[in-house]
Amino acid sequence: MEPTTTSDPAPAHTGDQSREQWSSKIGFVLAAAGSAIGLGNIWRFPYVTGENGGAAFVIVYLACIALICLPYLLAELALGRHSQKNPVGAIRAVAGRTPWVIVGGLGILTGLFILSYYGVIAGWTFGYIFKNVASPDTTFTEFIATPWLVLPLFVLFLGFTAAIVQGGVEDGIERAAKVLMPILLVLMLLVIVRGVTLEGASAGLSFYLNPDFSKIGSEAIVAALGQAFFSLSLGMGAMVTYGSYLPEEENLLSAGGWVALFDTSIALLAGLMIFPAVFALDADPQAGPTLVFDVLPGLFQQMPLGTVVGMLFFLLLSVAALTSTVSLMEVVVSYCMDEQQWSRSKSVAVVTGAAFVFGFPAALSQGISPALGDMSWLVGEGGVLGATDFLGIMDKIWGDISLALGALLLCVFVGWVWSTADAAMEIRSGEGAFAPGTARLWGAFVRYVCPLVILVVVLNAFDLFSYFGLFD
Ligand code: TRP
């Protein structure tokens, strides 16, 4: 495979000429940022930060983004644009028939499973648009334990996602995201101002901004890296797929940089929105997944026009979640179309059905079915990385472990099997600079630094070091 080094008017290297493309770099950056920005930033980041001790965790998280995720993001984008394929097809396109395609397959499976439980949480978000008007006294715990609410909401949200993936992403969701994402940002800023001016908010600011590194253990580092991958939609080939629609003349370095910058800023702002309010309203920062849903409505109540702000906030959060579920579904659908030769409609129908089957127990695991709510009968008292409920276990397995594992393997694939020289050439082929020195540095990260760090973190997650008597 010869990488193209000039801007070629027919950019498809190996794919078919009819493959869709983003209309512009802005289009790509918005779509990729839309995939990245979602519940991961606004719901998951604050509670994972809260569980892992606050500011020190945030610093570890930022280091993961800059040193591991950004170089790795470029590798995914380069592989995607070069091959113009879904993750499985991309690996085959550059390396032929090799066992490495299994890594692509793992990515597809991961996308399906994340979609299944993510859709459940997105359904709650959607329900929360109306909840505080319809039934303000219902607590979050009661809400998610009400089957006739959570199941229809989950189905509805999967339906929205399917409709958009079926109808094509660019016109609908991209255009909507262009308008709605900036509104979300403004709204977050408003809520932040209210939050930090509440009495007692400073304790929250100090929790969020004053690092205490004694709180960082190996579990916190696993969580930080897992969260960084999850938030940037990395480790399962979503950015391979989105990169495959990128025109040749676009600069991958700056496109990737913008996506990482937007995503990280929104996550940091989400923390700023939540923690002052958590402390001012006397909530528990370690509350876990319920944190945002419990705390924010209390904060809205203290704002002028709080009801409207609350409704608008959960509406926009639903939109952010929708652009993320769309990307999750699109990866699996693009695989079904490219590799199984199914039509788009059939792919969408099958993927939606499968997501429903696996999301169903996740929806029931939050207070409806005791057997799914506490699965220690299956996974032992310690759970999977501490989680014992079905949804939590799925999130640990697919959202933390599988993304890290997938990233490790894809990184080794790009660094050692495909070659960083070809990949660097692909990155350089667009406009803008990717100087030889930068390219060499990037190559060293993709070949050595990223895989080693991810490996240590993954081994740690499985407690293998202590098994062999190393490190403590
Ligand atoms: N990044 C999204 C979020 O933060 C979730 C998401 C969308 C995702 N597509 C993904 C996570 C692909 C991992 C892989 O909410």
Side-chain angles (χ1 to χ4, degrees):
M1 201 61 46
E2 284 299 313
T4 316
T5 50
T6 54
S7 21
D8 185 336
H13 299 292
T14 57
D16 61 282
Q17 302 294 323
S18 62
R19 195 172 178 80
E20 285 176 272
Q21 287 200 341
W22 308 112
S23 50
S24 61
K25 177 162 156 192
I26 300 290
F28 163 78
V29 170
L30 280 173
S35 162
I37 297 170
L39 297 169
N41 304 61
I42 296 167
W43 162 75
R44 200 176 192 266
F45 175 78
Y47 91 73
V48 176
T49 301
E51 284 179 339
N52 288 286
F57 175 86
V58 176
I59 292 174
V60 177
Y61 173 77
L62 291 177
C64 290
I65 295 272
L67 298 176
I68 311 297
C69 293
L70 194 56
Y72 172 75
L73 168 62
L74 284 176
E76 274 203 24
L77 289 177
L79 179 63
R81 186 172 65 181
H82 185 77
S83 64
Q84 314 257 308
K85 284 277 192 300
N86 72 86
V88 169
I91 291 173
R92 196 177 292 134
V94 300
R97 292 195 165 274
T98 90
W100 283 98
V101 294
I102 295 170
V103 181
L106 177 71
I108 307 298
L109 266 186
T110 307
L112 175 64
F113 285 120
I114 294 181
L115 174 63
S116 72
Y117 69 82
Y118 196 99
V120 172
I121 303 157
W124 303 342
T125 313
F126 191 66
Y128 253 60
I129 301 173
F130 314 102
K131 190 222 126 211
N132 283 309
V133 183
S135 173
D137 294 331
T138 310
T139 65
F140 179 66
T141 315
E142 289 163 355
F143 179 83
I144 60 176
T146 312
W148 61 266
L149 286 173
V150 291
L151 288 173
L153 285 167
F154 169 50
V155 171
L156 205 64
F157 206 90
L158 271 185
F160 291 149
T161 308
I164 289 164
V165 173
Q166 172 63 33
V169 177
E170 295 112 75
D171 285 344
I173 202 69
E174 236 185 84
R175 213 182 280 164
K178 231 185 240 179
V179 182
L180 293 171
M181 286 292 182
I183 303 182
L184 176 66
L185 183 67
V186 171
L187 207 62
M188 286 177 75
L189 291 174
L190 275 178
V191 178
I192 288 171
V193 170
R194 177 66 269 221
V196 298
T197 52
L198 286 173
E199 199 176 326
S202 56
L205 282 176
S206 122
F207 176 82
Y208 188 51
L209 301 174
N210 284 339
D212 171 1
F213 284 100
S214 66
K215 290 180 177 164
I216 296 293
S218 61
E219 259 189 40
I221 298 175
V222 179
L225 192 68
Q227 172 61 24
F229 280 121
F230 185 89
S231 188
L232 280 172
S233 303
L234 297 178
M236 53 152 278
M239 291 299 161
V240 174
T241 307
Y242 272 32
S244 75
Y245 306 130
L246 252 177
E248 185 68 10
E249 59 284 358
E250 296 305 348
N251 183 341
L252 291 185
L253 189 61
S254 82
W258 278 114
V259 173
L261 187 71
F262 282 150
D263 184 66
T264 308
S265 311
I266 295 285
L268 292 178
L269 287 177
L272 210 49
M273 186 170 72
I274 306 291
F275 288 112
V278 166
F279 284 78
L281 302 175
D282 238 351
D284 175 13
Q286 308 226 16
T290 61
L291 187 67
V292 168
F293 289 98
D294 269 342
V295 170
L296 283 181
L299 177 57
F300 297 140
Q301 270 174 16
Q302 316 244 343
M303 295 181 72
L305 293 175
T307 312
V308 180
V309 173
M311 288 183 82
L312 205 55
F313 177 83
F314 281 106
L315 173 68
L316 295 171
L317 187 53
S318 301
V319 173
L322 190 60
T323 51
S324 297
T325 50
V326 162
S327 82
L328 288 161
M329 190 180 278
E330 177 68 23
V331 174
V332 190
V333 164
S334 80
Y335 164 80
C336 294
M337 290 169 63
D338 288 355
E339 308 299 320
Q340 308 293 333
Q341 262 86 51
W342 293 354
S343 69
R344 186 166 270 270
S345 318
K346 177 175 175 190
S347 308
V348 169
V350 171
V351 174
T352 305
F356 176 74
V357 168
F358 294 108
F360 190 75
L364 296 185
S365 70
Q366 304 301 303
I368 297 167
S369 154
L372 292 167
D374 181 355
M375 297 185 67
S376 21
W377 53 272
L378 184 68
V379 294
E381 284 302 322
V384 176
L385 294 177
T388 51
D389 62 300
F390 186 85
L391 193 157
I393 292 171
M394 292 292 274
D395 185 39
K396 296 292 181 192
I397 295 179
W398 304 105
D400 278 334
I401 300 170
S402 177
L403 290 182
L405 195 66
L408 170 65
L409 295 171
L410 263 174
C411 209
V412 171
F413 176 78
V414 170
W416 297 90
V417 181
W418 181 27
S419 104
T420 43
D422 284 1
M425 206 127 43
E426 182 64 43
I427 296 173
R428 193 181 305 129
S429 74
E431 306 148 350
F434 193 52
T438 320
R440 262 198 305 279
L441 186 66
W442 174 78
F445 267 80
V446 170
R447 284 163 77 95
Y448 303 102
V449 181
C450 301
L452 274 176
V453 172
I454 303 170
L455 183 68
V456 169
V457 170
V458 170
L459 290 179
N460 235 325
F462 289 109
D463 255 345
L464 288 183
F465 288 125
S466 54
Y467 184 78
F468 291 113
L470 296 166
F471 305 134
D472 77 34

